[in-house]
Amino acid sequence: MPYRFEFRPYRRPFQRPLQTSHGTWVFREGIILRLTGSAGQVGFGEIAPLSWFGSETFEQALDFCRQLPAEIAEATIFSIPPALPACQFAFESARETLTGNPPIPKSRHPTLNPLTYSALLPAGEAALSAWQPLWQQGYRTFKWKIAVAPAPEELQIFHRLNQTLPAPAKLRLDANGGLPWEDANQWLQACDSCGAVEYLEQPLPVDRFDAMLELSNRYSTHLALDESVATLAQMQDCFLKGWRGIFVIKPAIAGSPSQLRRFCRQHDIDAVFSSVFETAIGRQAALRLSAELSRHNRAAGFGVSHWFGEDDEIWLENLWPTY
Ligand code: MG
């Protein structure tokens, strides 16, 4: 059965630029797509690429959409090449929404329970005060980007943050692959002795897999891979090479949701699901996967709506009034 296919590119500014060790991020660019079935049923999907993370670029995704006809076959959705993982996610999740297979929870806009999400703090000293309003909103897991400033400076802020955060709070550190070996060891020593760190994410660059495996054996603080496991092919590779720590999965760029389900279930992966600053459309599809596949009650990394100025739903309705 063919689907009618429409798409709209978008460009959305962050309320303030987002700093990571990959650089500063000012706009989120993506594409919203809509599939319509022969009986008029619709499903939305979102392409939210993150090319510095290993997905296709926004332009490549746009080229892909532009060369598709206005009517596409079911087979087209399942034959999108692995080089376009954000497109695979968007088309398959739009189809899932349209067909209700697998079943979609009744509430179209489920209330976000902050307890089940981790909230992203700004890098550097700003974190010391930014956690408080988020705590009041109910967040108990916080994520803080490190490897943005020199380690001694950040370690000092880390100790202060630990002293100010109330005891039930959990802290996740994310180095985005930006730590040298010596610094990574220093950080893990600090984490082991404070005990409030849920995990350290991607301490070393992607090409230093063996060194990260070594760190995971050396310290008791959990390690998570993120940049190393951006796509399903990379997840499979790291698993084969012996990684049994946490996998941070960004469904929007991981590729085909049906293949992702198969991989996580087959290997009983300890996964944390995470946002790539997609809109509510991509987020809902990603959260469905998180609800299906998370273990250990790990908070999902979707506490990011405070990084955009406008309300998500209003913004989407402006982009696509029938949404
Ligand atoms: Mg990360």
Side-chain angles (χ1 to χ4, degrees), residues 53 143 145 174-176 201-202 226-227 248 250 274:
F53 233 89
K143 176 162 167 174
K145 298 273 186 188
D174 186 2
N176 285 117
E201 195 171 312
Q202 194 78 35
D226 186 6
E227 280 84 344
V248 176
K250 296 168 158 41
S274 178

Side-chain angles (χ1 to χ4, degrees), residues 132-207:
Q132 287 158 356
L134 295 163
W135 174 274
Q136 276 153 15
Q137 288 166 38
Y139 289 101
R140 293 298 176 263
T141 305
F142 300 94
K143 176 162 167 174
W144 187 48
K145 298 273 186 188
I146 61 168
V148 178
E153 202 178 299
E154 288 184 337
L155 277 161
Q156 224 178 24
I157 302 168
F158 170 69
H159 290 302
R160 283 164 65 199
L161 188 59
N162 262 317
Q163 282 159 6
T164 50
L165 278 177
K170 277 194 235 166
L171 191 59
R172 297 172 173 180
L173 302 177
D174 186 2
N176 285 117
L179 293 176
W181 172 255
E182 288 306 320
D183 290 1
N185 279 274
Q186 265 200 340
W187 272 105
L188 283 163
Q189 280 157 21
C191 293
D192 275 7
S193 57
C194 94
V197 173
E198 185 185 6
Y199 58 77
L200 170 61
E201 195 171 312
Q202 194 78 35
L204 307 177
V206 173
D207 60 6

Side-chain angles (χ1 to χ4, degrees), residues 38-297:
S38 53
Q41 69 282 37
V42 297
F44 282 90
E46 178 174 357
I47 305 173
L50 210 56
S51 57
W52 41 265
F53 233 89
S55 88
E56 69 271 51
T57 62
F58 168 75
E59 286 76 17
Q60 286 167 330
L62 195 55
D63 286 346
F64 177 75
C65 291
R66 281 182 176 147
Q67 56 83 40
L68 285 175
E71 291 230 319
I72 60 170
E74 178 107 332
T76 306
I77 294 172
F78 290 100
S79 55
I80 298 171
L84 301 171
C87 291
Q88 288 182 323
F89 167 79
F91 281 82
E92 261 195 55
S93 52
R95 184 199 154 274
E96 284 177 10
T97 314
L98 183 152
T99 60
N101 180 27
I104 311 289
K106 274 227 166 63
S107 159
R108 189 173 173 211
H109 304 300
T111 327
L112 295 181
N113 175 1
L115 257 186
T116 57
Y117 299 101
S118 85
L120 179 62
L121 300 174
E125 264 196 322
L128 291 170
S129 54
W131 66 269
Q132 287 158 356
L134 295 163
W135 174 274
Q136 276 153 15
Q137 288 166 38
Y139 289 101
R140 293 298 176 263
T141 305
F142 300 94
K143 176 162 167 174
W144 187 48
K145 298 273 186 188
I146 61 168
V148 178
E153 202 178 299
E154 288 184 337
L155 277 161
Q156 224 178 24
I157 302 168
F158 170 69
H159 290 302
R160 283 164 65 199
L161 188 59
N162 262 317
Q163 282 159 6
T164 50
L165 278 177
K170 277 194 235 166
L171 191 59
R172 297 172 173 180
L173 302 177
D174 186 2
N176 285 117
L179 293 176
W181 172 255
E182 288 306 320
D183 290 1
N185 279 274
Q186 265 200 340
W187 272 105
L188 283 163
Q189 280 157 21
C191 293
D192 275 7
S193 57
C194 94
V197 173
E198 185 185 6
Y199 58 77
L200 170 61
E201 195 171 312
Q202 194 78 35
L204 307 177
V206 173
D207 60 6
R208 310 232 25 225
F209 177 81
D210 291 338
M212 281 189 282
L213 205 52
E214 153 110 41
L215 286 175
S216 73
N217 294 325
R218 227 187 241 202
Y219 297 96
S220 59
T221 300
H222 290 296
L223 288 186
L225 294 183
D226 186 6
E227 280 84 344
S228 293
V229 292
T231 62
L232 187 60
Q234 288 172 293
M235 287 176 218
Q236 285 161 333
D237 185 47
C238 289
F239 184 83
L240 282 177
K241 289 194 295 197
W243 187 260
R244 296 298 178 271
I246 298 161
F247 288 71
V248 176
I249 299 179
K250 296 168 158 41
I253 58 164
S256 152
S258 52
Q259 290 174 38
L260 182 66
R261 282 189 189 94
R262 212 171 306 139
F263 169 75
C264 288
R265 287 183 177 142
Q266 186 181 353
H267 302 298
D268 201 18
I269 296 295
D270 187 356
V272 170
F273 288 81
S274 178
S275 153
V276 293
F277 295 93
E278 59 284 271
T279 74
I281 289 174
R283 188 174 64 232
Q284 280 156 27
L287 286 174
R288 286 204 301 274
L289 285 166
S290 173
E292 285 174 49
L293 302 171
S294 287
R295 294 163 44 204
H296 303 300
N297 284 324

